[in-house]
Amino acid sequence: MCRIAAYSGPARPLEDIIVKPSHSLLTQSQHAEEAKLAVNGDGFGVSWYRRDDPIPGVYRDVMPAWSDSNLTSLSRMVSSHLFIAHVRASTAGATSRENCHPFVYKNWSFCHNGQVPHIDRVRRRLEAALPDELYHTRRGTTDSELIFLTLLRHGLTQNVDSAWAKTLEDFQPQQDEKPVRMTCVFSDGVSLFAMRYASDGKCPTLYTSAWDSGTLIASEPLSGDAKVWSSVPTDRVIKFGSNEFVEA
Amino acid sequence: MCRIAAYSGPARPLEDIIVKPSHSLLTQSQHAEEAKLAVNGDGFGVSWYRRDDPIPGVYRDVMPAWSDSNLTSLSRMVSSHLFIAHVRASTAGATSRENCHPFVYKNWSFCHNGQVPHIDRVRRRLEAALPDELYHTRRGTTDSELIFLTLLRHGLTQNVDSAWAKTLEDFQPQQDEKPVRMTCVFSDGVSLFAMRYASDGKCPTLYTSAWDSGTLIASEPLSGDAKVWSSVPTDRVIKFGSNEFVEA
Amino acid sequence: MCRIAAYSGPARPLEDIIVKPSHSLLTQSQHAEEAKLAVNGDGFGVSWYRRDDPIPGVYRDVMPAWSDSNLTSLSRMVSSHLFIAHVRASTAGATSRENCHPFVYKNWSFCHNGQVPHIDRVRRRLEAALPDELYHTRRGTTDSELIFLTLLRHGLTQNVDSAWAKTLEDFQPQQDEKPVRMTCVFSDGVSLFAMRYASDGKCPTLYTSAWDSGTLIASEPLSGDAKVWSSVPTDRVIKFGSNEFVEA
Amino acid sequence: MCRIAAYSGPARPLEDIIVKPSHSLLTQSQHAEEAKLAVNGDGFGVSWYRRDDPIPGVYRDVMPAWSDSNLTSLSRMVSSHLFIAHVRASTAGATSRENCHPFVYKNWSFCHNGQVPHIDRVRRRLEAALPDELYHTRRGTTDSELIFLTLLRHGLTQNVDSAWAKTLEDFQPQQDEKPVRMTCVFSDGVSLFAMRYASDGKCPTLYTSAWDSGTLIASEPLSGDAKVWSSVPTDRVIKFGSNEFVEA
């Protein structure tokens, strides 16, 4: 179980979400309150967009987010109108950069918080179903990366809703298997999307809040300037912001 | 506040203390129960001795101990009659290998769990007091390394008790300063020593237990085969084992 | 192109091969003389065996071997009758622990130095051909790991020669493709094996030398006590030592 | 001996200097041509300035620059009118982030390429001479950091020339000692400075070139768009650019 925080709106320093709020993503990496695991120390990552370049920047590392001085400096220096940050608590699998979120494909970036307990049963079949181009972009061994590649196989770049519908089918557990749970936050560089789903109805948390003229999403409320947080609806893709902002 | 585990006795795989017990040092690195901070994810280290070489081996890294596959493999493969392991929760200062315990000087290795809140007031004076040879062995910026070097300055290799007495004087807080607390475990390659001291009497925990014909020391009981744990006495240097064992 | 050094014989400290010779593996990592790339700074690894445990220990990291103080300490402290060490120069692919050699499966460990320029053409087919158990052990994205898994699929544990024959077929380049070259060193924990093959006859170098009653293998002569080095024959599996040594 | 590249002028992506030129800093990290050591794989760092914030951003890591995917992404995404990048070849001392250049103090950042062979003779005296504030900012153990702190002690922020004159005196070798050599590039966030000095007249190389309306400095010509490179004068502080540019 991981923690996610994302933003869309007038350009802001990344630190406004990652570092500064009293319950910032950095704080959540050490003291998550609504997660199965309180510690998210198995790496972190952030993808961010510039208005004049569709391909996001990515900074990922295997250290705990709270001890990485580069992240603090980068978060202060870099402003963006659209970014997604993630701290990882690996329930299985190695701690390596290749397994750190966000995963990026062209202009898309993708973060996942959840579990696919039967991943070993479906992995082979779902990897075999990938077209060559996606097959060769695999870098790590997480269920999260496979969810992302499967979404792309099902046409994420054309139709987000149908891609999700088909992907959820692919990842359905069998009757005797533990529930699948996934709270995903992703972007095409224009909009911010979220999808919360759990086969047993118990989705990992995700909250949203308006912030000036922008939108915040976070696994747990950030306790910053954004005062009112509401739970993101489940079982369907939610699209946030449309980026019709002018630079701050 | 960190967590420490050490062993002296017939040679055993390091994993018997670091990995295998249900409340092993690896478990304590994620879920400490008697520490101020539950997470000790800011690096780790282990020093271990061979009978035929006075200089210990050292393995230290900045990742959380729980995610380091090298540590698991090393702990399974390496057996030792005398070793000290440490997981770090940095209250201040960078996460770097140079700041990871144990610190080693010739045949001595040293771990510290505690706090010296007024370190900035005394650091200059105590570093200036070091003889050249010790001065040039400094590698990091922790209070812990300075405690070790100061002990060496005061003759740790000749008389452990008097070295500690003088060192505690050097680190005494002034009236308006927060208390100094230090639970230290160290070795000369022959014996295992522990020293618990707090200027306010609230020493970080340290327990000991007999294990077959050996001795265990740990910040928190390891819940393994060693059933009976007792608190290590405070305010004086305790010497464990005298190494009069034959190889297992 | 990487550099390899391995040993079989009476137990010796790893440092006798990795650190101490004037042209040690550590030196070769900075100044290889017979390699396409002079620098092998993209990680390193070593697997070593104990006589009483079939599963080797593994220590791998992404730093250059020459700057890792842990490797120096470990090499001094650990002795083994059978070990394989590797420094990596990645021609493609990420620098991650998962991509560092040796790769380990049960009691087998495996290192590769060479190139499979058409890996992207054959990867899918060869991964799809793996039985489930091997498929799920993949951790990285190197051609080297896939060679090892394909060898295992073809019965490496039963018949080393036929496994190699079938594997070489699987990796044959097509007429218009660049040559495949592979110099591999591997072990089952009892014997040390080497296989040099190149579809154009230009195999990466590998030398062997007797050392007291043991055997050394290295990409480049180590310039240590072993005076006479000869080139390891190509195009067939060479088996070194049979481990009939008593502990030194 | 390390490699340095820096830029002052209309804002440019960092990759224009660090990644894109055929003899970019990344290339120099693997294949330096005018350095004692061809490989600069012991970490790297970059400091960059924003026009609206005097404190530079810093990104440093211990991996070789050529294998760090974060650096590539960051260099593409971040533009700056003033930045300094460095790849390190440690002749002595640990590879740690704390020992990676640039060193930063308030609005100043500082890189060094050279050698102070008698550092152990002068270190104590020069550290003791630091005022408290500078003393407590030490993080690593390099001679380079001590040169920077000594410059600050001698009033670098008030008078660059006199600070250098006094610092060079402090670091003079004695008659029987090897020569001191230092090529330093540094900035206050407004101007870019360089200082080349060697007690035997053999300064490490440094070149400069005009690039559009900006200025490049590099240990070796970058072979990019900037066609004409000239050697930076020695034995006095050179000030480049005065930052009187409008944003590109």
Side-chain angles (χ1 to χ4, degrees):
Chain A
M1 304 297 269
C2 311
R3 302 285 85 181
I4 302 173
Y7 172 77
S8 170
R12 274 183 181 281
L14 307 187
E15 68 175 359
D16 285 2
I17 280 79
I18 296 178
V19 180
K20 283 193 169 171
S22 61
H23 197 58
S24 71
L25 190 66
L26 231 58
T27 307
Q28 291 183 33
S29 74
Q30 278 195 290
H31 308 288
E33 291 172 357
E34 303 188 33
K36 277 187 167 182
L37 301 169
V39 186
N40 293 266
D42 300 324
F44 66 88
V46 57
S47 64
W48 74 98
Y49 293 88
R50 281 188 350 211
R51 290 193 188 280
D52 57 349
D53 188 340
I55 310 299
V58 192
Y59 177 55
R60 307 189 295 183
D61 211 344
V62 297
M63 297 177 72
W66 68 75
S67 69
D68 185 67
S69 54
N70 288 327
L71 178 61
T72 320
S73 187
L74 189 71
S75 296
R76 179 176 64 79
M77 292 295 285
V78 171
S79 288
S80 171
H81 65 286
L82 183 55
F83 58 91
I84 306 177
H86 183 274
V87 290
R88 183 167 178 248
S90 99
T91 42
T95 299
S96 75
R97 279 197 190 174
E98 282 64 42
N99 287 343
C100 287
H101 311 216
F103 301 99
V104 170
Y105 176 81
K106 294 181 178 172
N107 58 313
W108 289 79
S109 60
F110 177 87
C111 281
H112 167 232
N113 168 24
Q115 58 181 36
V116 183
H118 60 285
I119 182 68
D120 277 349
R121 176 175 61 77
V122 298
R123 179 187 295 279
R124 262 200 103 119
R125 185 166 45 79
L126 294 180
E127 290 189 346
L130 295 173
D132 275 2
E133 191 205 352
L134 295 174
Y135 191 86
H136 290 303
T137 65
R138 284 176 314 146
R139 287 292 170 271
T141 53
T142 58
D143 49 5
S144 308
E145 188 183 20
L146 187 54
I147 295 170
F148 181 40
L149 294 177
T150 301
L151 282 165
L152 290 164
R153 165 167 78 92
H154 286 313
L156 183 71
T157 63
Q158 274 78 49
N159 186 323
V160 173
D161 289 310
S162 76
W164 264 105
K166 290 174 192 162
T167 298
L168 288 182
E169 262 178 58
D170 280 344
F171 280 92
Q172 277 312 305
Q174 291 181 343
Q175 219 172 347
D176 56 337
E177 290 175 332
K178 288 186 183 170
V180 163
R181 293 173 186 156
M182 39 178 92
T183 286
C184 299
V185 176
F186 53 105
S187 176
D188 58 358
V190 178
S191 301
L192 198 55
F193 300 92
M195 173 68 183
R196 296 178 66 203
Y197 172 80
S199 63
D200 66 346
K202 296 179 180 169
C203 302
T205 57
L206 194 69
Y207 297 88
T208 185
S209 175
W211 197 12
D212 297 341
S213 48
T215 301
L216 278 171
I217 315 178
S219 295
E220 305 181 13
L222 298 172
S223 317
D225 294 335
K227 292 293 186 296
V228 185
W229 291 82
S230 56
S231 197
V232 172
T234 63
D235 300 315
R236 57 194 177 88
V237 178
I238 306 294
K239 185 175 174 176
F240 297 89
S242 49
N243 216 18
E244 71 274 60
F245 307 105
V246 288
E247 280 285 344
Chain B
M1 304 298 268
C2 311
R3 301 285 87 180
I4 301 173
Y7 173 76
S8 169
R12 274 183 181 281
L14 308 186
E15 69 175 359
D16 285 3
I17 279 80
I18 297 178
V19 180
K20 283 192 168 172
S22 61
H23 197 59
S24 72
L25 190 66
L26 232 58
T27 307
Q28 291 183 34
S29 74
Q30 277 193 290
H31 307 288
E33 291 172 357
E34 304 189 34
K36 276 189 167 179
L37 300 168
V39 186
N40 292 268
D42 299 325
F44 66 88
V46 57
S47 64
W48 74 99
Y49 292 87
R50 280 190 349 213
R51 290 193 189 279
D52 57 347
D53 187 341
I55 310 300
V58 192
Y59 176 56
R60 307 190 297 181
D61 211 344
V62 296
M63 300 176 70
W66 67 76
S67 69
D68 185 65
S69 54
N70 288 327
L71 179 60
T72 320
S73 186
L74 190 69
S75 297
R76 180 176 62 80
M77 291 296 285
V78 171
S79 289
S80 171
H81 65 286
L82 184 54
F83 57 91
I84 306 176
H86 184 273
V87 291
R88 184 167 178 247
S90 98
T91 42
T95 299
S96 75
R97 279 197 191 174
E98 283 64 42
N99 287 343
C100 287
H101 311 214
F103 301 98
V104 171
Y105 177 80
K106 295 182 178 170
N107 58 311
W108 289 79
S109 59
F110 177 88
C111 281
H112 167 233
N113 168 24
Q115 58 180 35
V116 183
H118 59 284
I119 181 69
D120 277 350
R121 176 175 61 77
V122 297
R123 178 187 296 279
R124 260 202 103 118
R125 185 165 44 79
L126 294 180
E127 291 189 345
L130 295 173
D132 276 2
E133 192 206 351
L134 295 174
Y135 191 87
H136 289 303
T137 65
R138 284 176 314 146
R139 287 292 172 270
T141 55
T142 58
D143 48 6
S144 309
E145 188 183 20
L146 187 53
I147 294 170
F148 181 42
L149 294 176
T150 301
L151 282 165
L152 289 165
R153 165 167 77 93
H154 286 312
L156 183 71
T157 62
Q158 273 78 49
N159 186 322
V160 174
D161 290 310
S162 75
W164 264 106
K166 291 173 192 163
T167 298
L168 288 181
E169 262 178 58
D170 279 344
F171 280 92
Q172 277 312 305
Q174 291 182 344
Q175 218 173 350
D176 56 337
E177 289 175 333
K178 288 186 183 170
V180 162
R181 293 172 187 159
M182 40 178 92
T183 287
C184 299
V185 175
F186 53 104
S187 176
D188 57 359
V190 177
S191 301
L192 197 55
F193 300 91
M195 172 69 182
R196 298 177 64 201
Y197 171 81
S199 63
D200 65 347
K202 298 180 180 169
C203 302
T205 57
L206 193 70
Y207 297 89
T208 185
S209 175
W211 196 11
D212 296 341
S213 49
T215 301
L216 280 171
I217 314 177
S219 295
E220 304 182 13
L222 298 172
S223 317
D225 295 335
K227 294 291 185 296
V228 185
W229 292 83
S230 56
S231 197
V232 172
T234 63
D235 300 316
R236 57 193 176 89
V237 178
I238 306 294
K239 184 176 175 177
F240 297 89
S242 51
N243 217 20
E244 71 272 60
F245 307 104
V246 287
E247 277 286 340
Chain C
M1 304 298 270
C2 312
R3 300 286 87 180
I4 302 173
Y7 173 76
S8 170
R12 274 184 181 280
L14 306 188
E15 69 176 359
D16 285 2
I17 279 81
I18 297 178
V19 180
K20 283 193 167 171
S22 60
H23 197 57
S24 71
L25 190 66
L26 232 59
T27 307
Q28 292 183 33
S29 74
Q30 277 194 291
H31 306 289
E33 291 172 358
E34 304 188 34
K36 278 188 165 180
L37 301 169
V39 187
N40 293 267
D42 300 324
F44 67 88
V46 56
S47 64
W48 74 99
Y49 292 88
R50 280 190 348 213
R51 290 194 189 278
D52 57 347
D53 187 342
I55 310 300
V58 192
Y59 176 57
R60 308 189 296 181
D61 210 345
V62 296
M63 299 177 72
W66 69 74
S67 68
D68 186 66
S69 54
N70 288 327
L71 179 62
T72 319
S73 187
L74 189 69
S75 296
R76 180 176 62 79
M77 291 296 285
V78 171
S79 289
S80 171
H81 66 286
L82 184 54
F83 57 91
I84 306 176
H86 184 273
V87 291
R88 183 167 178 248
S90 99
T91 44
T95 299
S96 75
R97 279 196 191 175
E98 282 65 40
N99 287 342
C100 287
H101 310 217
F103 300 99
V104 171
Y105 176 79
K106 296 181 179 171
N107 58 311
W108 289 79
S109 59
F110 176 89
C111 281
H112 167 233
N113 168 24
Q115 58 179 36
V116 184
H118 60 285
I119 182 68
D120 278 350
R121 176 176 61 77
V122 298
R123 178 187 294 280
R124 262 201 101 120
R125 183 165 46 78
L126 294 180
E127 291 189 346
L130 295 173
D132 276 3
E133 193 206 349
L134 295 174
Y135 191 86
H136 290 304
T137 65
R138 284 176 314 146
R139 288 291 171 272
T141 54
T142 58
D143 48 6
S144 310
E145 187 184 21
L146 187 53
I147 294 171
F148 181 40
L149 294 177
T150 301
L151 282 166
L152 290 165
R153 165 168 77 92
H154 285 314
L156 184 70
T157 61
Q158 273 78 47
N159 186 323
V160 172
D161 289 310
S162 75
W164 264 106
K166 291 173 191 162
T167 297
L168 288 182
E169 262 178 59
D170 280 345
F171 280 92
Q172 278 312 306
Q174 290 182 345
Q175 218 173 349
D176 56 337
E177 289 175 334
K178 288 187 184 170
V180 163
R181 292 171 187 160
M182 41 178 90
T183 286
C184 298
V185 175
F186 53 104
S187 175
D188 58 358
V190 177
S191 302
L192 198 55
F193 300 92
M195 171 69 183
R196 297 178 66 202
Y197 172 81
S199 63
D200 66 346
K202 298 179 180 169
C203 303
T205 58
L206 193 70
Y207 298 89
T208 185
S209 176
W211 197 11
D212 297 340
S213 48
T215 300
L216 278 171
I217 314 178
S219 295
E220 305 181 13
L222 298 172
S223 316
D225 296 334
K227 293 290 185 294
V228 184
W229 292 82
S230 56
S231 197
V232 173
T234 63
D235 300 316
R236 58 194 174 88
V237 178
I238 306 295
K239 185 174 173 177
F240 297 89
S242 50
N243 217 21
E244 69 274 59
F245 308 104
V246 288
E247 278 284 344
Chain D
M1 302 299 268
C2 311
R3 300 287 86 180
I4 302 173
Y7 172 77
S8 169
R12 275 184 181 280
L14 307 187
E15 68 175 1
D16 285 2
I17 280 81
I18 296 177
V19 180
K20 284 192 169 172
S22 61
H23 197 59
S24 70
L25 190 65
L26 232 57
T27 307
Q28 291 183 35
S29 73
Q30 278 195 290
H31 308 288
E33 292 171 358
E34 304 188 34
K36 278 188 168 180
L37 300 170
V39 186
N40 293 267
D42 299 325
F44 66 88
V46 56
S47 64
W48 74 99
Y49 292 88
R50 280 188 351 211
R51 290 194 188 281
D52 57 348
D53 187 341
I55 309 299
V58 191
Y59 176 56
R60 308 189 294 181
D61 212 345
V62 295
M63 298 177 71
W66 67 76
S67 68
D68 186 66
S69 54
N70 288 327
L71 178 61
T72 321
S73 187
L74 189 71
S75 296
R76 181 176 62 79
M77 292 296 286
V78 170
S79 289
S80 171
H81 66 286
L82 184 54
F83 57 91
I84 306 176
H86 184 274
V87 291
R88 183 167 178 249
S90 100
T91 42
T95 299
S96 75
R97 280 197 190 175
E98 282 64 41
N99 286 343
C100 287
H101 311 215
F103 301 98
V104 170
Y105 177 80
K106 294 181 179 172
N107 57 312
W108 289 79
S109 59
F110 176 87
C111 281
H112 167 234
N113 168 25
Q115 58 181 35
V116 183
H118 59 285
I119 182 68
D120 278 350
R121 176 176 60 79
V122 297
R123 180 188 294 280
R124 263 202 102 120
R125 185 167 43 80
L126 294 181
E127 291 189 346
L130 295 174
D132 276 1
E133 191 206 352
L134 294 174
Y135 191 86
H136 290 302
T137 66
R138 284 177 314 147
R139 288 292 171 269
T141 54
T142 59
D143 49 6
S144 309
E145 187 183 21
L146 186 54
I147 295 171
F148 182 41
L149 294 176
T150 300
L151 283 165
L152 290 165
R153 165 167 78 93
H154 286 313
L156 183 71
T157 62
Q158 273 79 48
N159 186 322
V160 173
D161 289 310
S162 75
W164 263 105
K166 291 173 191 161
T167 298
L168 287 181
E169 262 178 60
D170 280 344
F171 281 92
Q172 277 313 303
Q174 291 182 344
Q175 219 172 348
D176 56 340
E177 290 175 332
K178 289 187 181 169
V180 162
R181 294 173 186 157
M182 41 176 92
T183 286
C184 300
V185 176
F186 53 103
S187 176
D188 59 358
V190 178
S191 302
L192 197 56
F193 301 91
M195 173 68 183
R196 296 178 67 203
Y197 172 81
S199 63
D200 65 347
K202 298 180 180 169
C203 301
T205 58
L206 193 69
Y207 298 88
T208 184
S209 176
W211 196 11
D212 297 341
S213 49
T215 300
L216 278 171
I217 314 177
S219 294
E220 305 181 12
L222 298 173
S223 316
D225 296 334
K227 293 291 186 298
V228 184
W229 291 82
S230 56
S231 197
V232 172
T234 63
D235 300 315
R236 56 195 176 88
V237 178
I238 307 294
K239 184 175 174 177
F240 298 90
S242 51
N243 216 17
E244 69 273 60
F245 307 105
V246 287
E247 279 284 344

